[in-house]
Amino acid sequence: MYTLIIEDRYGRSAAEISFDQGSYTIGRVDGNDVVLPSSSVSRTHARIFVSNNKCYIDDLGSANGVTVDNVPIKERTEIKHGSQIRIGEYTLYLEYKDQSDMNAGQDVLKTQIVSGDQGGYKIVRIRDKFAGEEFMLAEATNTIGRTEDNYILLSDQSISRNHARITNRGMLYYVTDLDSSNGTFVNNKKISGEHPLQSGDIIRFGNLSFVFVPSSQHVNILEYNKNNKNSSQTLIFALLGSLFLCVIIVLIVVMSMKKGDNNAIDAETNTQDTALAKLSIDLDNASKHLDDKQVQTAKYIIDPLLKEYPDDSRVIDLNKKIEFELKNDEYITQGNAFVDNKKYEDAIDKFRSVDIDSFRYQDAQNLIKDTERKIRLMQYNDARSKCDDGLSDECIKDLCAAAAEMKNRDSDIETERVNDTIAFMERITKTKKNKYAAAAKDCLNELSDN
């Protein structure tokens, strides 16, 4: 079992990947098995693969090259335990360990490193003496807890050993509480199970609060801390206001009793008008959140209205719209779970279940397209791995068929795979007396634009 340790330009650990057999590409864009988001890394920069119990690396025509142990490589190069590989601003170290000594490693096909200047999200600590501390959500799964085995370590007694996790699925983020003692809250609502996140959401783990924002966004922590410092004053003013309101209500009741039944009826009418006005405000608020695609927030608003006004047609109709979007959102969640487990066909079936009238429909179409591309890339990598292990007419035929499926796609990574295959076949045909030259020539004819 091989382990690839990746460090960024500051020497900080960015990922640790374990793999055995197979062929894995490294590059800047989605579709690569390992994504290194930096302008110093080419779209498809290099490929690492294992063949005959040895590990090799190829430079796939990158702009800045690949170095192994400080030596630029010009052809396929074997890498061994302790090798230092340089790709753009990243340094990779290869280790070999006996599989019996390995803990469950991270699947290389799920590894994506997100840098602060290339997109992604972060959580920023607020409302305590460590306010301003930032944590990049750089992994597909970012665990939060009090022990060092977590991706984000929070040393506070209110935090459980394994408190929560934030999952990134195609830049859609979800937070899940891991049965923590003090709970996980989003916008002061305690969550159970998986909860979608929106930019600007306030997440609280135990007693520690964070704001969820894009990685490039500057957070003015004074704004949040000011709100926190003034909370006690706000509470006092709220209590005084409530006391004043109670006095007014008592005076109104006394005056109403003196004025008789007619005034009592007027007071009741005013109360009803106030309740209806509040209902309208709540409905407008829920509708606005639904229009902004913050479905779960709209659900939090509509649920108490359903209990208070179960027969109101406006409440019933809005709840139907919210439930409709929640159902389609669940299809997306289930599909993403299938993708994580490499059950791509099942994932596509779920994505196709999203209704055309849902605002998640276009997201579903994009996910279908992305999943189909993953299938093609997986088939290509399997075929290329077989050819790397040893040429045969069968592996050339399979590789050519996989490349043909990628031809003329609107995907840079697939276009590069086709060009890589053409270059691979040309090398075979140029080798004198190569018994696979005929099969390679047939492949070139198939992949030719003519």
Side-chain angles (χ1 to χ4, degrees):
M1 179 69 74
Y2 292 92
T3 299
L4 197 63
I5 300 170
I6 303 175
E7 293 183 353
D8 63 15
R9 59 182 172 180
Y10 301 109
R12 299 176 302 197
S13 178
E16 187 170 318
I17 305 158
S18 296
F19 60 97
D20 194 357
Q21 297 295 322
S23 177
Y24 308 105
T25 59
I26 303 171
R28 189 178 74 244
V29 298
D30 287 342
N32 289 284
D33 301 316
V34 179
V35 178
L36 302 178
S38 168
S39 57
S40 65
V41 179
S42 296
R43 290 178 177 272
T44 305
H45 199 110
R47 178 175 60 247
I48 288 179
F49 65 94
V50 177
S51 177
N52 298 324
N53 295 321
K54 292 183 178 181
C55 192
Y56 298 88
I57 188 167
D58 283 331
D59 182 354
L60 300 180
S62 64
N64 294 318
V66 177
T67 64
V68 175
D69 296 328
N70 297 319
V71 178
I73 68 171
K74 297 181 179 179
E75 57 186 14
R76 179 168 299 170
T77 301
E78 182 181 355
I79 49 178
K80 301 179 180 180
H81 175 78
S83 289
Q84 182 187 87
I85 305 150
R86 186 76 177 179
I87 295 179
E89 65 184 53
Y90 294 90
T91 303
L92 296 73
Y93 300 92
L94 185 72
E95 292 185 355
Y96 178 79
K97 297 181 181 179
D98 186 88
Q99 187 151 359
S100 61
D101 296 331
M102 292 288 293
N103 294 322
Q106 183 179 11
D107 189 337
V108 68
L109 295 180
K110 296 181 186 177
T111 299
Q112 184 174 45
I113 302 164
V114 181
S115 68
D117 58 353
Q118 296 289 332
Y121 278 75
K122 63 185 177 182
I123 56 174
V124 182
R125 193 162 174 173
I126 56 176
R127 298 175 179 168
D128 63 26
K129 64 181 180 180
F130 296 108
E133 186 176 11
E134 297 186 352
F135 298 93
M136 295 297 302
L137 301 174
E139 297 290 339
T141 299
N142 306 270
T143 55
I144 299 104
R146 201 174 69 246
T147 56
E148 292 185 356
D149 58 324
N150 290 281
Y151 179 72
I152 297 176
L153 174 62
L154 300 177
S155 300
D156 188 274
Q157 290 303 311
S158 68
I159 304 298
S160 297
R161 294 173 61 86
N162 300 106
H163 196 105
R165 67 169 174 263
I166 297 177
T167 306
N168 171 12
R169 300 194 189 106
M171 303 312 289
L172 298 175
Y173 289 80
Y174 303 84
V175 61
T176 305
D177 183 75
L178 301 179
D179 296 324
S180 63
S181 299
N182 296 309
T184 300
F185 300 77
V186 177
N187 299 327
N188 289 325
K189 298 286 187 179
K190 188 173 183 179
I191 67 168
S192 60
E194 189 174 70
H195 184 93
L197 290 174
Q198 304 285 340
S199 178
D201 281 348
I202 303 299
I203 312 172
R204 177 159 57 85
F205 307 109
N207 297 331
L208 306 185
S209 295
F210 298 81
V211 59
F212 173 77
V213 294
S215 59
S216 59
Q217 180 174 323
H218 172 71
V219 174
N220 182 3
I221 59 172
L222 295 178
E223 177 182 343
Y224 296 95
N225 290 343
K226 180 180 179 181
N227 292 338
N228 188 54
K229 291 176 182 178
N230 292 337
S231 60
S232 59
Q233 295 178 357
T234 302
L235 179 60
I236 292 172
F237 287 132
L239 291 173
L240 290 174
S242 298
L243 180 60
F244 178 74
L245 182 60
C246 288
V247 172
I248 295 298
I249 291 173
V250 169
L251 291 174
I252 291 174
V253 171
V254 171
M255 292 176 65
S256 297
M257 291 175 65
K258 290 181 180 179
K259 289 182 180 180
D261 293 340
N262 288 336
N263 286 351
I265 292 172
D266 290 341
E268 182 179 353
T269 301
N270 290 335
T271 302
Q272 291 175 350
D273 289 344
T274 301
L276 290 174
K278 182 180 182 301
L279 171 61
S280 296
I281 292 172
D282 288 341
L283 286 172
D284 288 343
N285 194 20
S287 295
K288 181 180 182 300
H289 283 293
L290 182 61
D291 292 341
D292 291 339
K293 302 181 182 181
Q294 298 176 355
V295 187
Q296 196 62 56
T297 303
K299 181 64 174 173
Y300 288 146
I301 298 172
I302 203 70
D303 277 348
L305 298 182
L306 278 170
K307 294 178 181 179
E308 191 171 356
Y309 304 97
D311 300 322
D312 190 291
S313 60
R314 296 174 298 169
V315 175
I316 294 172
D317 290 343
L318 183 56
N319 182 63
K320 286 180 180 178
K321 293 178 182 178
I322 293 171
E323 291 292 344
F324 171 76
E325 293 298 346
L326 285 174
K327 180 182 71 173
N328 286 284
D329 190 68
E330 180 61 22
Y331 289 143
I332 297 287
T333 300
Q334 292 172 355
N336 284 326
F338 279 129
V339 169
D340 288 345
N341 291 313
K342 301 181 187 177
K343 296 180 179 179
Y344 297 129
E345 296 297 339
D346 292 334
I348 290 174
D349 287 341
K350 283 297 180 183
F351 296 144
R352 285 176 176 162
S353 298
V354 175
D355 195 283
I356 193 172
D357 292 327
S358 169
F359 59 67
R360 296 304 305 273
Y361 179 75
Q362 190 55 54
D363 291 336
Q365 298 307 302
N366 293 336
L367 287 167
I368 290 170
K369 185 177 179 180
D370 183 64
T371 306
E372 289 175 340
R373 183 171 66 246
K374 289 180 185 293
I375 292 174
R376 293 192 296 270
L377 288 167
M378 179 182 68
Q379 293 171 343
Y380 178 90
N381 287 337
D382 289 344
R384 185 58 190 263
S385 179
K386 290 178 182 177
C387 284
D388 287 334
D389 286 339
L391 283 177
S392 67
D393 287 332
E394 180 183 1
C395 90
I396 290 176
K397 181 180 178 181
D398 291 343
L399 181 60
C400 194
E405 284 293 318
M406 296 180 174
K407 188 178 176 184
N408 297 325
R409 301 281 182 180
D410 58 347
S411 164
D412 291 337
I413 187 69
E414 292 184 272
T415 299
E416 291 186 9
R417 291 289 196 281
V418 174
N419 293 336
D420 187 37
T421 303
I422 291 173
F424 180 70
M425 298 301 171
E426 287 176 342
R427 289 198 296 270
I428 296 175
T429 59
K430 291 178 181 178
T431 303
K432 293 182 178 180
K433 297 181 180 180
N434 193 318
K435 62 180 180 179
Y436 304 113
K441 186 175 181 181
D442 289 341
C443 180
L444 287 172
N445 291 333
E446 183 175 351
L447 297 179
S448 173
D449 290 329
N450 297 326

